[in-house]
Amino acid sequence: MLVTVHGSGQGQVLYDVRFPNAVHHEAEISVTFADLPARPLELRMSRSSPGRYALHEFAKNVYAVRAVGAGGEALRVTRPNPYQWDVPEHGDTVRVSYTLFADRAGGTYSQVDETHAHFNIPATFMWARGLGDREIRVAFHPPEGSGWQVATQLMPTDDPMTYTAPNLYYFLDSPTELSAFSMRQWTIASGDTVRMAVHHAGTEEEVDRFVEWTKRVVQQEIAVFGEPPDFDGGTYTFIADYLPYVSGDGMEHRNSTILSSTQSLGGAGRGLLGTVSHEFFHAWNVERIRPRSLEPFDFERANMSGELWFAEGFTSYYTQLLIRRAGLTTDADYARTLGGGLSFVTNAAGRRYFSPVEMSMQAPFVDAATAVDPNNRGNTFISYYTWGSVIGLNLDLTLRSRFEKSLDGFMRSVWVRFGKTEIPYTIDDLQQTLARFTGDDDFAEDFFARFIRGREVPDYAALLANAGFLLRPAQPDAAWMGTMNLQYRDGSARLAGMPPEGSPLYEAGVSRGDRILSMDGQVLENASTLRQILGAHRPGDRVEVMFEQRGRNKTVMMLLAPHPQLEVVLYEDAGMTVTPEMTAFRAAWTEAATNGV
Ligand SMILES: [Zn+2]
């Protein structure tokens, strides 16, 4: 690495950001490169963003690109591909300027208007290939009278509108919000500061209440790992946008996170804590406990990882559990959230095709990916968030019932070996850590073979019974034809997607795009007609279905199935006895850690 003299500007990359047309969602951005080597300057817009796995063509919102030399003379710019601008001949210094259009605030994109400039860095800033080690300095120039401040994990300088990053990699990981936000901050056990910047239209009291809840969740998360991460610059920043014109999202970064929702703090109440809990957990799991497959993150192409069942899935397992441990929900609430995930994973046809590792590898097609051609993902894909989360449940309850250990202890082992040290891990590393943690190689090998590399689902009812949680069919007597998005129009119901594989509709040969003209002799006017027909039948009954498929009318007899939906309820709420053993097991699992961390 080239040693550069900091502070003199030599070798530094200098960005300058202005907002002459904020009302129409434009930012004027320039970047100056000095001490350039004598080869063509290759300027890129990123195609991916940290924490996202699909490709995003950020270059499409960049225009009016110009390059000038040290004396202001115009330089020739060529376009070798859609994401790149080359300056073939230049001197020591090049200044590039462009206009950015941005009107989608969330974890992936940017938004500029008169209320804020919300920047996801890869969606915003052009960078130069081969200069990634250089220090970056960015100066923001908010509109006159806007009252904007800056919330970011970038490093502060003496000027409140100027920030630095040690290199391009850190810069691209540092989302930045400029607005008249409310700010709260507090100190955690390590002495580091946690800040929460909230840009919203509500009251200061709502912010205070939300920050109090957040503190309780943060404390429970620290208790899982035994210590907070050592945040760069001694600070972690929650950047929240709760406004009707943003897009709901949550995106983790090394020392910060973006939280966005169209809901208000007043309206959503504790509903907005899920992303707080999830994203802060990522400060350990994925930001520092890092899969080798994502190191280093490639900003020019899709990144594939077979570990997302752990990075996202185990994080999802803890999302609701830690809100429960923070005392902000009840065991009954927690049981309800478990039911949804277990029902989905247990019933999903996708288990016939791919393991959790293989599901993780499909992230480039599902993680905020867009396409116009339809797919059969409903039958072939199970989110690694959901599947990973029930694997976390499986492992936690197994460790507790069989080893008198817990997933918290396993996570701490992973943290010590791979997180604190920042040694990227592989799936084999996780298996070895589990073997060492339990002292049982066979158990670890069997668990990974069946549930991680394989596609098995354990006996969740038996696992949950340890805690007096009951897994059961939610509607055992209800007749079911396949959960379907139906579009009702002109006295028919059109299948908007693929029917679930193996469902009565699927078996009857009714498929995507077909229009159901009548069922059981009745025209399907709307959802309530359908409910009525199904309500009048029992699983095992046959009903006549007339439908139109690719211009031909067909009639079939459809065999109705029992509704497969599962739910989790507490034993006491199902009129069953909770033993003292169950009470103790449950308390150790869902109640606040008392280790005083
Ligand atoms: Zn996540």
Side-chain angles (χ1 to χ4, degrees), residues 235-475:
T235 306
Y236 181 90
T237 309
F238 287 101
I239 304 170
D241 282 272
Y242 298 134
L243 295 158
Y245 48 86
V246 304
S247 308
D249 204 355
M251 185 52 64
E252 70 277 8
H253 297 276
R254 193 171 159 81
N255 304 298
S256 64
T257 181
I258 292 293
L259 312 168
S260 59
S261 175
T262 54
Q263 290 186 287
S264 66
L265 281 179
R270 294 177 184 182
L272 290 170
L273 280 175
T275 37
V276 168
S277 174
H278 183 100
E279 306 308 334
F280 193 68
F281 199 85
H282 275 316
W284 293 268
N285 190 24
V286 99
E287 290 302 332
R288 289 168 179 81
I289 302 171
R290 198 111 179 101
R292 191 183 288 174
S293 54
L294 294 179
E295 276 301 306
F297 191 83
D298 190 334
F299 289 90
E300 300 197 16
R301 54 186 62 85
N303 290 258
M304 187 177 83
S305 167
E307 292 82 13
L308 300 183
W309 57 271
F310 182 75
E312 290 298 351
F314 277 39
T315 299
S316 294
Y317 169 63
Y318 275 105
T319 299
Q320 292 301 326
L321 179 59
L322 295 177
I323 294 174
R324 164 66 196 101
R325 285 191 191 159
L328 298 165
T329 52
T330 64
D331 283 335
D333 296 329
Y334 183 52
R336 232 184 336 272
T337 68
L338 291 178
L342 286 172
S343 189
F344 180 68
V345 173
T346 307
N347 292 321
R351 271 205 299 128
R352 296 181 209 182
Y353 302 104
F354 301 112
S355 70
V357 174
E358 294 163 329
M359 292 299 179
S360 301
M361 292 173 173
Q362 294 194 59
F365 305 129
V366 296
D367 182 55
T370 53
V372 289
D373 57 326
N375 58 62
N376 193 21
R377 200 154 286 129
N379 284 321
T380 60
F381 181 70
I382 304 172
S383 166
Y384 38 84
Y385 285 84
T386 319
W387 200 348
S389 131
V390 303
I391 293 169
L393 175 70
N394 174 7
L395 187 54
D396 198 1
L397 297 180
T398 303
L399 289 170
R400 288 170 188 278
S401 57
R402 198 165 138 185
F403 296 94
E404 293 191 354
K405 289 174 179 280
S406 72
L407 192 64
D408 297 5
F410 174 66
M411 295 307 289
R412 229 169 288 164
S413 299
V414 175
W415 167 245
V416 169
R417 285 188 70 182
F418 302 104
K420 285 189 82 157
T421 56
E422 302 207 30
I423 299 169
Y425 70 85
T426 62
I427 296 174
D428 285 341
D429 288 331
L430 293 180
Q431 184 181 317
Q432 278 168 21
T433 306
L434 183 63
R436 200 190 283 190
F437 176 64
T438 55
D440 189 337
D441 287 3
D442 293 343
F443 165 73
E445 193 180 328
D446 179 69
F447 191 93
F448 274 74
R450 289 168 64 196
F451 305 122
I452 311 296
R453 297 189 179 91
R455 296 177 262 135
E456 275 185 58
V457 162
D459 183 352
Y460 278 107
L463 286 168
L464 287 163
N466 286 300
F469 278 50
L470 178 67
L471 175 66
R472 66 179 183 190
Q475 308 171 56

Side-chain angles (χ1 to χ4, degrees), residues 188-203:
I188 51 174
S190 58
D192 281 355
T193 300
V194 177
R195 300 185 294 201
M196 185 167 237
V198 183
H199 179 205
H200 74 147
T203 66

